[in-house]
């Protein structure tokens, strides 16, 4: 895999939208051609090379291309890795909103924190976040009903509100705590929360699983306790209280039996 180093050389006054910092777009280009790619600050268009130094050489395809992004002000850069289908992006620091939005494959690693709407509508791939994540991680675009479809998101720290709203597949693992509205309208996939959750966990959830290793401040009334179960989840064997729900929602049937979502809370 060939590596391209993208290093911020100028701090923006506003926020930068950098949808072109993606293996799919870098692939097959020279460093000079990459510097000519457009980015946006406010309502103005600039060349990528006006804010970033570019060294190294990409591969001929996205799958053969790794991008390393560095800079003290990366927390003011949006859309890095969006819509990528392959390859790898490593961000040495923070990243702002829409990181990895709509990604279809490949791997993104963020050494710091990420902003809101990260991995929005993610279809596949892997995202590793060392720090904290903002609101709407792995969720659906506003007005849409399709959140995360597949892939894996791992967060070392905490996550904000509306985590994995309308999630339909894949897995999200949060190492710390989460805010309100976890897995709302979830129709598949798995969410693992190693810390605590606030209220409205699994609201209007139809299918899928949510595991909470810590506490939930306020349980949704639409979940009914069924049993205790000893399970191995993300490498840890624990006893969980098992709840079915959200009982107020319509649920599909399989082999004549109603299929419910499940909420597991460590006993």
């Amino acid at each position: 895999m060939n590596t391209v180093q993208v290093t911020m050389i100028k701090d923006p006054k506003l926020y930068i939208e950098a949808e072109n910092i993606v293996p799919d777009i870098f692939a097959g280009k020279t460093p000079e051609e990459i510097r000519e790619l457009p980015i946006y600050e406010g309502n103005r268009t600039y060349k990528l090379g006006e804010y970033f130094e570019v060294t190294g050489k990409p591969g001929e395809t996205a799958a053969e291309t790794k991008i390393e992004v560095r800079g003290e002000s990366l927390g003011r850069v949006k859309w890095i890795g969006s819509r990528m289908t392959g390859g790898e992006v490593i961000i040495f620091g923070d990243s702002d909103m829409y990181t990895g939005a709509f990604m279809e494959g490949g791997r993104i690693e963020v050494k710091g924190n990420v902003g809101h709407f990260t991995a929005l509508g993610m279809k596949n791939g892997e995202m590793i976040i060392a720090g904290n994540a903002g609101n709407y991680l792995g969720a659906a675009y506003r007005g849409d009903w399709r959140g995360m479809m597949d892939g894996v998101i791992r967060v070392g720290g905490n996550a904000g509100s509306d985590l994995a709203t309308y999630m339909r597949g894949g897995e999200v693992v949060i190492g710390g705590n989460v805010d309100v509205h976890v897995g709302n309208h979830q129709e598949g996939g798995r969410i693992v929360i190693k810390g605590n959750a606030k209220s409205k966990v699994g609201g209007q959830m139809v299918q899928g699983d949510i595991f909470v290793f810590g506490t939930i401040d306020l349980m949704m009334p639409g979940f009914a306790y069924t049993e205790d179960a000893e399970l191995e989840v993300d490498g840890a064997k624990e006893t969980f209280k098992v709840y079915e729900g959200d009982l107020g929602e319509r649920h599909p049937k399989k082999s004549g039996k109603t299929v419910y979502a499940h909420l597991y809370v460590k006993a």
Side-chain angles (χ1 to χ4, degrees), residues 158-213:
N158 303 321
S161 69
D162 298 277
L163 170 70
T165 298
Y166 286 105
M167 182 182 192
R168 306 181 72 79
E171 182 178 44
V172 179
V173 181
I174 307 297
N177 304 323
V178 294
D179 209 327
V180 298
H181 295 291
V182 174
N184 279 17
H185 303 283
Q186 186 175 342
E187 296 207 18
R190 183 165 95 155
I191 300 171
V192 179
I193 301 163
K194 297 293 186 71
N196 303 321
K198 293 187 179 179
S199 63
K200 302 177 179 65
V201 176
Q204 297 182 283
M205 184 181 181
V206 177
Q207 294 186 75
D209 300 298
I210 299 177
F211 296 85
V212 180
F213 280 69

Side-chain angles (χ1 to χ4, degrees), residues 36 58 60 91 106 130 138 142 145 147 177:
E36 293 293 315
E60 289 301 313
I91 302 170
R142 283 179 172 170
W145 49 269
N177 304 323

Side-chain angles (χ1 to χ4, degrees), residues 5-6 8 11 26 30 37 49 74 95 100 106 117 124 143 151 155 173 185 189 198 201 220 223 241 245 257 265-266:
Q5 291 86 25
V6 178
M8 183 171 267
D11 293 337
F26 278 20
T30 65
L37 292 170
L74 291 177
S95 181
F117 300 104
N124 213 327
V155 178
V173 181
H185 303 283
K198 293 187 179 179
V201 176
M220 292 288 294
F223 282 86
K241 293 184 177 297
K257 294 184 178 181
V265 183
K266 183 179 173 182

Side-chain angles (χ1 to χ4, degrees), residues 5-83:
Q5 291 86 25
V6 178
T7 305
M8 183 171 267
I9 56 175
K10 179 181 175 181
D11 293 337
K13 294 180 181 179
L14 303 174
Y15 284 78
I16 286 178
E17 297 184 15
E19 297 172 84
N20 286 323
I21 301 181
V22 180
D24 299 73
I25 295 176
F26 278 20
K29 292 182 172 62
T30 65
E32 291 74 21
E33 290 173 322
I34 293 172
R35 293 187 195 105
E36 293 293 315
L37 292 170
I39 60 172
Y40 308 93
E41 183 184 7
N43 61 357
R44 295 189 177 184
T45 304
Y46 296 89
K47 295 178 181 179
L48 189 146
E50 294 181 65
Y51 281 92
F52 297 91
E53 180 55 69
V54 179
T55 58
K57 181 182 178 181
E60 289 301 313
T61 66
E64 298 170 313
T65 301
K66 177 194 287 188
I67 302 174
E68 295 181 349
V69 190
R70 291 177 168 85
E72 294 183 2
S73 297
L74 291 177
R76 301 179 71 82
V77 182
K78 309 176 189 293
W79 293 102
I80 296 175
S82 63
R83 296 182 173 86

Side-chain angles (χ1 to χ4, degrees), residues 191-251:
I191 300 171
V192 179
I193 301 163
K194 297 293 186 71
N196 303 321
K198 293 187 179 179
S199 63
K200 302 177 179 65
V201 176
Q204 297 182 283
M205 184 181 181
V206 177
Q207 294 186 75
D209 300 298
I210 299 177
F211 296 85
V212 180
F213 280 69
T215 60
I216 299 177
D217 287 354
L218 183 63
M219 282 283 293
M220 292 288 294
F223 282 86
Y225 169 79
T226 59
E227 61 179 341
D228 281 11
E230 185 175 321
L231 303 169
E232 185 171 332
V233 180
D234 199 49
K237 187 174 288 187
E238 301 286 354
T239 300
F240 293 89
K241 293 184 177 297
V242 184
Y243 298 85
E244 287 184 341
D246 186 337
L247 301 180
E249 290 298 299
R250 51 106 185 131
H251 290 271

